[in-house]
Amino acid sequence: QKAGEPRPTGFTGLLAASDLGELLRLGHDRRYPRGATLMLQGARPSSVVLHVEGWSKVVASTEDGRDVLLAVVGVGDVTGHWEAVTGTPCAATVTTLEPCCVRAITAVAFITFLEAHPRATLALLRYTITQFVRADRRRTEAGTLDAAHRLGSVLLELSHAHGHIDDDHAPVELGIPISQEEIAGLISASRQSVARALATLRQRGFIATGRRSITVRDVPAVSATRDARPAGFKALRPWSSSTTPTRLTQTSPINPD
C-alpha cells in the first residue's frame, strides 16, 4: 500500500493475499439494487457474504416491532459468518443501502476454508472481536455521553474502519446513504437529538452535511470528542479548509481475480 491510497478494510483487509485469493475463488459475484435483502432475520442462511462494492445496513427487529440499526457494512466486511460457524438463524436483516456487489460463498465452503487456513480463522476472530468492542463502546457511550459526542464517536469509527486513513488530518467524506432516523438508531438517540447533534458538530466546523452524506472535516477534533467531557467540547480546534476531503466511496473494491 502506498501513502494516500485506500487501505484494505474489514475482514478481507486482515487476510494474507494468498488466503484472500483462495477465499474469493470459492464464491461467485451477485449484484443487488438498493433496498435488496441479503440476509433475513430468523432465516437460516445458505451463504456467507463478502461485501465487494457498496454499503448495506444490519438491522434487528425487536419483539415490539421496532427496527434497530446495529451496523453499517461496506467494502471488505463479511456477514453471515457468525451463523455459518454456529449453525444458528440470522440474528439480523442485512439490506443494501445502494446498488451493491457481493461475493457469496456457501457456509460449508466457508467453514472448510477456515479449517484449512488457521491464519484466516485468526483474522476472522480479530474482526469479530473488533465488532464486539465497538458494540460495547456504543452501549457505554449511550449511558455516559450526549448525542453530539456519540455521533462524533460513530463518525470517527466509520472513518477509520472504511477510510484510508494514512493522514489523520485529511477530511473524510462519508458517502453512506443513511437517514437521520437510521443514525439515531445507531447511536441510541432520538431523531431530534441527532438533528441537534449534527447542528452542533457543524457549527464547530467538525463536519459538513449534504443529502445523506457527511464529511468529517477535522478527524483529530472528532477523535477528541470520544474521550472529552461535554464541558471541554468547545475547546477542540476548528477545521482548516485547506485540504480536500477523501470519499470513502472511492475505496477500491475487492479484486476477485
Side-chain angles (χ1 to χ4, degrees):
Q1 177 194 351
K2 299 178 181 179
E5 287 185 348
R7 70 160 186 257
T9 58
F11 168 57
T12 60
L14 298 173
L15 293 175
S18 58
D19 288 344
L20 176 58
E22 187 168 341
L23 178 62
L24 291 174
R25 285 192 290 272
L26 295 176
H28 57 278
D29 284 347
R30 293 178 180 173
R31 291 193 173 273
Y32 294 93
R34 179 180 180 273
T37 299
L38 304 182
M39 306 186 73
L40 183 64
Q41 182 174 339
R44 290 191 176 274
S46 59
S47 300
V48 174
V49 174
L50 295 178
H51 295 260
V52 178
E53 296 177 14
W55 296 96
S56 299
K57 62 180 180 180
V58 182
V59 176
S61 298
T62 63
E63 293 184 356
D64 60 0
R66 292 184 298 119
D67 289 337
V68 180
L69 179 62
L70 301 180
V72 177
V73 292
V75 174
D77 283 322
V78 58
T79 50
H81 57 295
W82 183 264
E83 291 80 2
V85 171
T86 61
T88 55
C90 295
T93 296
V94 182
T95 306
T96 59
L97 289 167
E98 61 184 355
C100 290
C101 177
V102 304
R103 176 143 297 204
I105 302 170
T106 66
V108 173
F110 185 73
I111 294 300
T112 301
F113 170 82
L114 293 178
E115 291 173 342
H117 298 79
R119 291 183 304 175
T121 302
L122 182 58
L124 183 64
L125 178 61
R126 288 172 175 157
Y127 174 78
T128 304
I129 290 174
T130 298
Q131 291 179 314
F132 286 156
V133 169
R134 289 173 182 166
D136 285 344
R137 186 177 66 243
R138 287 180 190 171
R139 282 192 289 269
T140 300
E141 291 173 346
T144 58
L145 297 179
D146 60 24
H149 284 70
R150 299 203 302 274
L151 177 61
S153 181
V154 78
L155 294 179
L156 180 70
E157 172 189 307
L158 292 170
S159 296
H160 280 284
H162 295 284
H164 21 277
I165 298 180
D166 292 329
D167 181 4
D168 278 343
H169 293 83
V172 178
E173 185 177 350
L174 303 174
I176 306 174
I178 58 175
S179 65
Q180 288 189 12
E181 185 175 357
E182 289 168 328
I183 294 174
L186 196 59
I187 66 172
S188 301
S190 67
R191 185 180 181 281
Q192 292 76 15
S193 294
V194 168
R196 289 193 296 269
L198 288 171
T200 298
L201 296 176
R202 192 165 49 238
Q203 289 167 3
R204 284 165 171 75
F206 296 167
I207 68 170
T209 57
R211 178 173 172 78
R212 291 202 168 196
S213 70
I214 300 174
T215 298
V216 181
R217 287 176 158 175
D218 193 331
V219 173
V222 175
S223 178
T225 69
R226 181 158 57 189
D227 300 317
R229 296 176 181 270
F233 192 60
K234 295 181 179 179
L236 300 175
R237 66 183 181 84
W239 168 64
S240 171
S241 60
S242 60
T243 45
T244 302
T246 299
R247 285 187 58 84
L248 291 197
T249 49
Q250 296 303 311
T251 300
S252 299
I254 302 169
N255 185 356
D257 297 326

